[in-house]
PDB file of all heavy atoms in Angstrom:
ATOM      1  N   LYS A   2       1.872   1.271   0.854  1.00 81.00           N
ATOM      2  CA  LYS A   2       2.754   2.433   0.962  1.00 81.00           C
ATOM      3  C   LYS A   2       3.524   2.643  -0.338  1.00 81.00           C
ATOM      4  O   LYS A   2       3.753   3.769  -0.756  1.00 81.00           O
ATOM      5  CB  LYS A   2       3.718   2.211   2.143  1.00 81.00           C
ATOM      6  CG  LYS A   2       4.609   3.356   2.428  1.00 81.00           C
ATOM      7  CD  LYS A   2       3.872   4.414   3.182  1.00 81.00           C
ATOM      8  CE  LYS A   2       4.895   5.434   3.688  1.00 81.00           C
ATOM      9  NZ  LYS A   2       4.280   6.606   4.178  1.00 81.00           N
ATOM     10  N   GLN A   3       3.911   1.536  -0.980  1.00 86.00           N
ATOM     11  CA  GLN A   3       4.664   1.631  -2.221  1.00 86.00           C
ATOM     12  C   GLN A   3       3.805   2.220  -3.343  1.00 86.00           C
ATOM     13  O   GLN A   3       4.293   3.011  -4.154  1.00 86.00           O
ATOM     14  CB  GLN A   3       5.185   0.251  -2.604  1.00 86.00           C
ATOM     15  CG  GLN A   3       6.242   0.287  -3.683  1.00 86.00           C
ATOM     16  CD  GLN A   3       6.861  -1.078  -3.901  1.00 86.00           C
ATOM     17  OE1 GLN A   3       6.331  -2.080  -3.432  1.00 86.00           O
ATOM     18  NE2 GLN A   3       7.963  -1.116  -4.597  1.00 86.00           N
ATOM     19  N   LYS A   4       2.516   1.875  -3.368  1.00 86.00           N
ATOM     20  CA  LYS A   4       1.610   2.434  -4.376  1.00 86.00           C
ATOM     21  C   LYS A   4       1.420   3.931  -4.166  1.00 86.00           C
ATOM     22  O   LYS A   4       1.349   4.693  -5.127  1.00 86.00           O
ATOM     23  CB  LYS A   4       0.262   1.714  -4.337  1.00 86.00           C
ATOM     24  CG  LYS A   4       0.299   0.325  -4.906  1.00 86.00           C
ATOM     25  CD  LYS A   4      -1.086  -0.301  -4.887  1.00 86.00           C
ATOM     26  CE  LYS A   4      -1.033  -1.717  -5.430  1.00 86.00           C
ATOM     27  NZ  LYS A   4      -2.351  -2.342  -5.449  1.00 86.00           N
ATOM     28  N   GLU A   5       1.331   4.343  -2.900  1.00 88.00           N
ATOM     29  CA  GLU A   5       1.191   5.769  -2.596  1.00 88.00           C
ATOM     30  C   GLU A   5       2.433   6.537  -3.025  1.00 88.00           C
ATOM     31  O   GLU A   5       2.331   7.626  -3.587  1.00 88.00           O
ATOM     32  CB  GLU A   5       0.943   5.970  -1.108  1.00 88.00           C
ATOM     33  CG  GLU A   5      -0.414   5.512  -0.637  1.00 88.00           C
ATOM     34  CD  GLU A   5      -0.578   5.630   0.866  1.00 88.00           C
ATOM     35  OE1 GLU A   5       0.279   6.250   1.526  1.00 88.00           O
ATOM     36  OE2 GLU A   5      -1.572   5.090   1.381  1.00 88.00           O
ATOM     37  N   ASN A   6       3.596   5.959  -2.753  1.00 89.00           N
ATOM     38  CA  ASN A   6       4.844   6.613  -3.152  1.00 89.00           C
ATOM     39  C   ASN A   6       4.949   6.722  -4.665  1.00 89.00           C
ATOM     40  O   ASN A   6       5.412   7.737  -5.193  1.00 89.00           O
ATOM     41  CB  ASN A   6       6.053   5.858  -2.592  1.00 89.00           C
ATOM     42  CG  ASN A   6       6.191   6.033  -1.097  1.00 89.00           C
ATOM     43  OD1 ASN A   6       5.640   6.966  -0.517  1.00 89.00           O
ATOM     44  ND2 ASN A   6       6.919   5.128  -0.464  1.00 89.00           N
ATOM     45  N   ALA A   7       4.540   5.689  -5.367  1.00 90.00           N
ATOM     46  CA  ALA A   7       4.564   5.714  -6.827  1.00 90.00           C
ATOM     47  C   ALA A   7       3.606   6.776  -7.361  1.00 90.00           C
ATOM     48  O   ALA A   7       3.923   7.490  -8.322  1.00 90.00           O
ATOM     49  CB  ALA A   7       4.220   4.346  -7.382  1.00 90.00           C
ATOM     50  N   ALA A   8       2.450   6.906  -6.739  1.00 89.00           N
ATOM     51  CA  ALA A   8       1.486   7.916  -7.173  1.00 89.00           C
ATOM     52  C   ALA A   8       2.019   9.322  -6.925  1.00 89.00           C
ATOM     53  O   ALA A   8       1.851  10.213  -7.767  1.00 89.00           O
ATOM     54  CB  ALA A   8       0.155   7.721  -6.448  1.00 89.00           C
ATOM     55  N   ILE A   9       2.675   9.508  -5.799  1.00 88.00           N
ATOM     56  CA  ILE A   9       3.260  10.817  -5.486  1.00 88.00           C
ATOM     57  C   ILE A   9       4.370  11.141  -6.477  1.00 88.00           C
ATOM     58  O   ILE A   9       4.477  12.277  -6.962  1.00 88.00           O
ATOM     59  CB  ILE A   9       3.778  10.840  -4.035  1.00 88.00           C
ATOM     60  CG1 ILE A   9       2.600  10.797  -3.058  1.00 88.00           C
ATOM     61  CG2 ILE A   9       4.638  12.070  -3.776  1.00 88.00           C
ATOM     62  CD1 ILE A   9       3.002  10.597  -1.611  1.00 88.00           C
ATOM     63  N   LEU A  10       5.190  10.162  -6.799  1.00 89.00           N
ATOM     64  CA  LEU A  10       6.271  10.373  -7.758  1.00 89.00           C
ATOM     65  C   LEU A  10       5.723  10.720  -9.141  1.00 89.00           C
ATOM     66  O   LEU A  10       6.223  11.638  -9.799  1.00 89.00           O
ATOM     67  CB  LEU A  10       7.163   9.132  -7.829  1.00 89.00           C
ATOM     68  CG  LEU A  10       8.366   9.219  -8.754  1.00 89.00           C
ATOM     69  CD1 LEU A  10       9.311  10.318  -8.282  1.00 89.00           C
ATOM     70  CD2 LEU A  10       9.075   7.885  -8.814  1.00 89.00           C
ATOM     71  N   LYS A  11       4.675  10.019  -9.567  1.00 90.00           N
ATOM     72  CA  LYS A  11       4.057  10.317 -10.863  1.00 90.00           C
ATOM     73  C   LYS A  11       3.500  11.735 -10.883  1.00 90.00           C
ATOM     74  O   LYS A  11       3.639  12.452 -11.871  1.00 90.00           O
ATOM     75  CB  LYS A  11       2.940   9.320 -11.167  1.00 90.00           C
ATOM     76  CG  LYS A  11       3.409   7.995 -11.674  1.00 90.00           C
ATOM     77  CD  LYS A  11       2.223   7.110 -12.020  1.00 90.00           C
ATOM     78  CE  LYS A  11       2.653   5.749 -12.478  1.00 90.00           C
ATOM     79  NZ  LYS A  11       1.518   4.882 -12.833  1.00 90.00           N
ATOM     80  N   ARG A  12       2.887  12.124  -9.802  1.00 85.00           N
ATOM     81  CA  ARG A  12       2.305  13.472  -9.725  1.00 85.00           C
ATOM     82  C   ARG A  12       3.399  14.538  -9.773  1.00 85.00           C
ATOM     83  O   ARG A  12       3.256  15.550 -10.457  1.00 85.00           O
ATOM     84  CB  ARG A  12       1.489  13.602  -8.450  1.00 85.00           C
ATOM     85  CG  ARG A  12       0.699  14.871  -8.371  1.00 85.00           C
ATOM     86  CD  ARG A  12      -0.221  14.857  -7.181  1.00 85.00           C
ATOM     87  NE  ARG A  12      -0.977  16.081  -7.127  1.00 85.00           N
ATOM     88  CZ  ARG A  12      -1.695  16.461  -6.115  1.00 85.00           C
ATOM     89  NH1 ARG A  12      -1.791  15.676  -5.056  1.00 85.00           N
ATOM     90  NH2 ARG A  12      -2.357  17.589  -6.122  1.00 85.00           N
ATOM     91  N   ALA A  13       4.495  14.302  -9.063  1.00 83.00           N
ATOM     92  CA  ALA A  13       5.608  15.251  -9.079  1.00 83.00           C
ATOM     93  C   ALA A  13       6.224  15.338 -10.473  1.00 83.00           C
ATOM     94  O   ALA A  13       6.569  16.434 -10.938  1.00 83.00           O
ATOM     95  CB  ALA A  13       6.658  14.837  -8.055  1.00 83.00           C
ATOM     96  N   LEU A  14       6.356  14.212 -11.142  1.00 85.00           N
ATOM     97  CA  LEU A  14       6.922  14.222 -12.494  1.00 85.00           C
ATOM     98  C   LEU A  14       5.995  14.925 -13.489  1.00 85.00           C
ATOM     99  O   LEU A  14       6.465  15.554 -14.439  1.00 85.00           O
ATOM    100  CB  LEU A  14       7.224  12.796 -12.946  1.00 85.00           C
ATOM    101  CG  LEU A  14       8.399  12.121 -12.237  1.00 85.00           C
ATOM    102  CD1 LEU A  14       8.548  10.678 -12.686  1.00 85.00           C
ATOM    103  CD2 LEU A  14       9.683  12.893 -12.444  1.00 85.00           C
ATOM    104  N   ARG A  15       4.685  14.841 -13.263  1.00 87.00           N
ATOM    105  CA  ARG A  15       3.739  15.561 -14.127  1.00 87.00           C
ATOM    106  C   ARG A  15       3.931  17.070 -14.002  1.00 87.00           C
ATOM    107  O   ARG A  15       3.766  17.802 -14.974  1.00 87.00           O
ATOM    108  CB  ARG A  15       2.306  15.181 -13.786  1.00 87.00           C
ATOM    109  CG  ARG A  15       1.792  14.002 -14.556  1.00 87.00           C
ATOM    110  CD  ARG A  15       0.276  13.920 -14.479  1.00 87.00           C
ATOM    111  NE  ARG A  15      -0.234  14.180 -13.138  1.00 87.00           N
ATOM    112  CZ  ARG A  15      -0.812  13.283 -12.347  1.00 87.00           C
ATOM    113  NH1 ARG A  15      -0.969  12.061 -12.780  1.00 87.00           N
ATOM    114  NH2 ARG A  15      -1.244  13.606 -11.154  1.00 87.00           N
ATOM    115  N   TYR A  16       4.261  17.539 -12.790  1.00 82.00           N
ATOM    116  CA  TYR A  16       4.510  18.967 -12.611  1.00 82.00           C
ATOM    117  C   TYR A  16       5.769  19.407 -13.358  1.00 82.00           C
ATOM    118  O   TYR A  16       5.878  20.552 -13.788  1.00 82.00           O
ATOM    119  CB  TYR A  16       4.654  19.318 -11.127  1.00 82.00           C
ATOM    120  CG  TYR A  16       3.341  19.420 -10.401  1.00 82.00           C
ATOM    121  CD1 TYR A  16       3.016  18.552  -9.374  1.00 82.00           C
ATOM    122  CD2 TYR A  16       2.414  20.397 -10.733  1.00 82.00           C
ATOM    123  CE1 TYR A  16       1.814  18.633  -8.699  1.00 82.00           C
ATOM    124  CE2 TYR A  16       1.204  20.487 -10.069  1.00 82.00           C
ATOM    125  CZ  TYR A  16       0.912  19.611  -9.054  1.00 82.00           C
ATOM    126  OH  TYR A  16      -0.286  19.705  -8.410  1.00 82.00           O
ATOM    127  N   LEU A  17       6.728  18.501 -13.511  1.00 83.00           N
ATOM    128  CA  LEU A  17       7.980  18.846 -14.174  1.00 83.00           C
ATOM    129  C   LEU A  17       7.950  18.593 -15.680  1.00 83.00           C
ATOM    130  O   LEU A  17       8.882  18.971 -16.384  1.00 83.00           O
ATOM    131  CB  LEU A  17       9.122  18.064 -13.532  1.00 83.00           C
ATOM    132  CG  LEU A  17       9.386  18.373 -12.063  1.00 83.00           C
ATOM    133  CD1 LEU A  17      10.475  17.469 -11.521  1.00 83.00           C
ATOM    134  CD2 LEU A  17       9.739  19.831 -11.863  1.00 83.00           C
ATOM    135  N   LEU A  18       6.906  17.955 -16.174  1.00 89.00           N
ATOM    136  CA  LEU A  18       6.813  17.616 -17.589  1.00 89.00           C
ATOM    137  C   LEU A  18       6.942  18.826 -18.524  1.00 89.00           C
ATOM    138  O   LEU A  18       7.608  18.722 -19.556  1.00 89.00           O
ATOM    139  CB  LEU A  18       5.509  16.853 -17.849  1.00 89.00           C
ATOM    140  CG  LEU A  18       5.409  16.097 -19.160  1.00 89.00           C
ATOM    141  CD1 LEU A  18       6.514  15.051 -19.238  1.00 89.00           C
ATOM    142  CD2 LEU A  18       4.058  15.427 -19.267  1.00 89.00           C
ATOM    143  N   PRO A  19       6.356  19.969 -18.208  1.00 91.00           N
ATOM    144  CA  PRO A  19       6.505  21.118 -19.119  1.00 91.00           C
ATOM    145  C   PRO A  19       7.944  21.637 -19.237  1.00 91.00           C
ATOM    146  O   PRO A  19       8.240  22.415 -20.131  1.00 91.00           O
ATOM    147  CB  PRO A  19       5.614  22.199 -18.498  1.00 91.00           C
ATOM    148  CG  PRO A  19       4.698  21.501 -17.578  1.00 91.00           C
ATOM    149  CD  PRO A  19       5.402  20.257 -17.134  1.00 91.00           C
ATOM    150  N   TYR A  20       8.806  21.190 -18.367  1.00 91.00           N
ATOM    151  CA  TYR A  20      10.172  21.704 -18.344  1.00 91.00           C
ATOM    152  C   TYR A  20      11.186  20.698 -18.890  1.00 91.00           C
ATOM    153  O   TYR A  20      12.374  20.798 -18.617  1.00 91.00           O
ATOM    154  CB  TYR A  20      10.554  22.105 -16.916  1.00 91.00           C
ATOM    155  CG  TYR A  20       9.507  22.959 -16.259  1.00 91.00           C
ATOM    156  CD1 TYR A  20       8.694  22.445 -15.254  1.00 91.00           C
ATOM    157  CD2 TYR A  20       9.290  24.261 -16.668  1.00 91.00           C
ATOM    158  CE1 TYR A  20       7.716  23.214 -14.664  1.00 91.00           C
ATOM    159  CE2 TYR A  20       8.312  25.036 -16.093  1.00 91.00           C
ATOM    160  CZ  TYR A  20       7.529  24.507 -15.086  1.00 91.00           C
ATOM    161  OH  TYR A  20       6.562  25.273 -14.517  1.00 91.00           O
TER     162      TYR A  20
END
Side-chain angles (χ1 to χ4, degrees):
K2 184 79 169 168
Q3 194 172 14
K4 287 182 181 181
E5 290 176 11
N6 288 341
I9 291 171
L10 182 62
K11 281 183 182 181
R12 188 173 180 191
L14 289 176
R15 270 196 317 248
Y16 281 116
L17 297 176
L18 196 60
Y20 311 107

